[in-house]
């Protein structure tokens, strides 16, 4: 598949052995932001808390057809099919992650409920008006054209279908001199803010159902990642290059610092197509 330079860079990043090994060691099958209530949760528990909270905002049944955009290893899809019996299509850029997703689904006998599609959320490779819900967790930060993503989501959703997403965002008042250096640590062209998502949603024919901002969970997750990394550095270094681990450490520390200054945001955004 032909991708733009930015998308191709993200794809290489997620396809790399370093990234796969890092994820498998630290996060497991869910690589999104978790929810911490007392701070002693493991990353895996916090990540499941996030899935529990998002699903508590939806009405799900075996007849619900969901599209997960930027689906990673498919942890969300397996959670949704196993807990609610939903059918889930996963669209994801990284072919390596997708292959693992398919293998894990096969192992659990879930292949008939979960379809894994190689592709980009900026050009969703499915037909129109077929989904009850479009779901996306912490993936749209990689988009350089979120308007296009919302237009695509609107196209594939049924009338009155819902779009629920979480994303790593900047605060509405984040100055460019603050966002620029942290974006330079990753191949991301810009971060959305809650305000920018509200505008895009309005412009593309969505009404707002609910927005729950929880910026503290972003710093919680990145701090937890740093501490698990530190506690297991020697073990991690057996499967990840030291240069890669150092890069992750610098990147995460910068994001934690900026988050603590109040310039980042994270939360759940829930919209309905008119
Ligand atoms: C932080 S991970 C989140 C994965 C998953 N949503 C989860 O909760 O475990 C971001 C994901 O976005 C995917 N991604 C990035 N850019 C994409 C694009 N243009 N189209 C589809 N997927 C993309 C990556 O492959 C990666 O799996």
């Amino acid at each position: 598949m032909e991708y733009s330079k930015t998308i191709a860079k993200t794809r290489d990043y997620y396809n790399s052995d370093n990234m796969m090994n890092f994820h498998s060691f630290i996060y497991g099958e869910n690589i999104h932001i978790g929810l911490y209530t007392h701070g002693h949760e493991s990353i895996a528990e916090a990540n499941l808390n996030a899935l529990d909270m998002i699903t508590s905002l939806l009405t799900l049944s075996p007849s619900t057809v969901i599209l997960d955009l930027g689906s990673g290893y498919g942890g969300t899809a397996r959670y949704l099919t196993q807990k609610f019996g939903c059918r889930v299509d996963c669209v994801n850029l990284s072919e390596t992650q997708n292959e693992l997703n398919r293998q894990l689904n096969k192992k659990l006998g879930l292949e008939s409920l979960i379809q894994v599609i190689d592709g980009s959320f900026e050009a969703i490779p499915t037909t129109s008006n077929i989904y009850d819900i479009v779901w996306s967790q912490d993936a749209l930060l990689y988009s350089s054209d979120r308007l296009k993503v919302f237009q695509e989501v609107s196209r594939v959703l049924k009338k009155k279908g819902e779009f629920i997403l979480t994303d790593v965002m900047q605060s509405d008042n984040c100055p460019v001199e603050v966002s620029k250096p942290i974006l330079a640590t990753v191949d991301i062209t810009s971060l959305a803010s809650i305000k920018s998502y509200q505008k895009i949603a309005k412009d593309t024919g969505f009404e707002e159902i609910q927005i729950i901002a929880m910026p503290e969970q972003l710093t919680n997750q990145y701090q937890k990642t740093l501490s698990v990394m530190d506690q297991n550095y020697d073990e991690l270094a057996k499967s990840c290059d030291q240069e890669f681990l150092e890069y992750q450490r610098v990147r995460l520390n910068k994001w934690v610092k900026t988050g603590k200054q109040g310039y980042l945001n994270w939360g759940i955004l829930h919209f309905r197509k008119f």
Side-chain angles (χ1 to χ4, degrees):
M1 220 170 286
E2 273 295 309
Y3 289 122
S4 71
K5 225 170 152 185
T6 321
I7 295 183
K9 269 187 168 179
T10 307
R11 176 190 180 210
D12 292 346
Y13 179 65
Y14 277 104
N15 271 340
S16 73
D17 286 347
N18 274 323
M19 201 72 222
M20 296 280 287
N21 295 337
F22 185 77
H23 282 153
S24 131
F25 193 97
I26 305 237
Y27 291 99
E29 62 177 346
N30 292 306
I31 52 172
H32 47 248
I33 303 299
L35 293 184
Y36 295 83
T37 48
H38 47 72
H40 302 301
E41 297 90 345
S42 66
I43 290 181
E45 282 164 351
N47 288 359
L48 276 181
N49 289 344
L51 292 173
D52 288 342
M53 179 161 182
I54 301 170
T55 49
S56 75
L57 306 174
L58 301 167
T59 305
L60 300 170
S61 75
S63 64
T64 314
V65 186
I66 302 178
L67 171 66
D68 184 9
L69 294 178
S71 44
Y73 303 100
T76 296
R78 285 182 291 283
Y79 170 94
L80 290 167
T81 52
Q82 288 180 307
K83 195 158 177 187
F84 301 97
C86 307
R87 253 191 43 219
V88 184
D89 283 354
C90 295
V91 165
N92 192 51
L93 192 60
S94 159
E95 295 87 353
T96 321
Q97 290 183 334
N98 291 345
E99 203 34 56
L100 192 55
N101 187 357
R102 290 184 193 103
Q103 284 171 21
L104 292 168
N105 298 338
K106 197 164 180 206
K107 229 183 197 169
L108 293 169
L110 297 172
E111 319 97 286
S112 60
L113 290 175
I114 303 173
Q115 184 186 195
V116 183
I117 306 164
D118 296 339
S120 169
F121 42 55
E122 290 177 7
I124 300 172
T126 67
T127 52
S128 307
N129 308 311
I130 55 171
Y131 296 106
D132 300 296
I133 292 167
V134 174
W135 175 301
S136 182
Q137 264 177 291
D138 308 328
L140 300 190
L141 67 155
Y142 293 102
S143 176
S144 51
D145 192 350
R146 296 185 186 93
L147 180 70
K148 179 82 185 120
V149 177
F150 270 66
Q151 285 166 340
E152 278 292 86
V153 171
S154 172
R155 178 182 66 77
V156 300
L157 271 176
K158 292 178 187 166
K159 199 167 176 223
K160 300 274 175 204
E162 294 170 37
F163 183 20
I164 196 154
L165 70 115
T166 65
D167 202 16
V168 175
M169 297 171 281
Q170 62 180 48
S171 61
D172 289 326
N173 63 347
C174 180
V176 181
E177 58 274 20
V178 172
S179 60
K180 219 173 162 188
I182 58 159
L183 289 177
T185 66
V186 276
D187 287 314
I188 292 176
T189 50
S190 70
L191 289 174
S193 66
I194 289 191
K195 256 195 193 151
S196 74
Y197 269 135
Q198 283 173 314
K199 177 163 178 6
I200 292 175
K202 198 166 170 223
D203 291 347
T204 50
F206 287 89
E207 63 178 327
E208 186 177 314
I209 299 175
Q210 194 176 17
I211 290 180
I212 308 170
M214 293 173 273
E216 69 286 359
Q217 298 297 355
L218 184 68
T219 37
N220 287 346
Q221 182 78 328
Y222 288 172
Q223 270 179 317
K224 189 80 181 183
T225 306
L226 280 164
S227 88
V228 174
M229 259 181 87
D230 281 343
Q231 283 157 19
N232 300 280
Y233 194 86
D234 291 345
E235 214 28 56
L236 255 177
K238 288 182 187 163
S239 58
C240 299
D241 297 342
Q242 297 223 358
E243 199 187 329
F244 172 85
L245 292 176
E246 273 323 299
Y247 159 75
Q248 290 299 339
R249 198 205 295 278
V250 170
R251 178 185 78 85
L252 289 164
N253 272 313
K254 275 196 184 154
W255 285 67
V256 167
K257 190 171 159 220
T258 312
K260 285 191 168 171
Q261 290 168 338
Y263 289 123
L264 296 178
N265 206 349
W266 179 85
I268 304 174
L269 297 94
H270 190 187
F271 302 102
R272 184 184 293 111
K273 176 180 166 179
F274 284 139

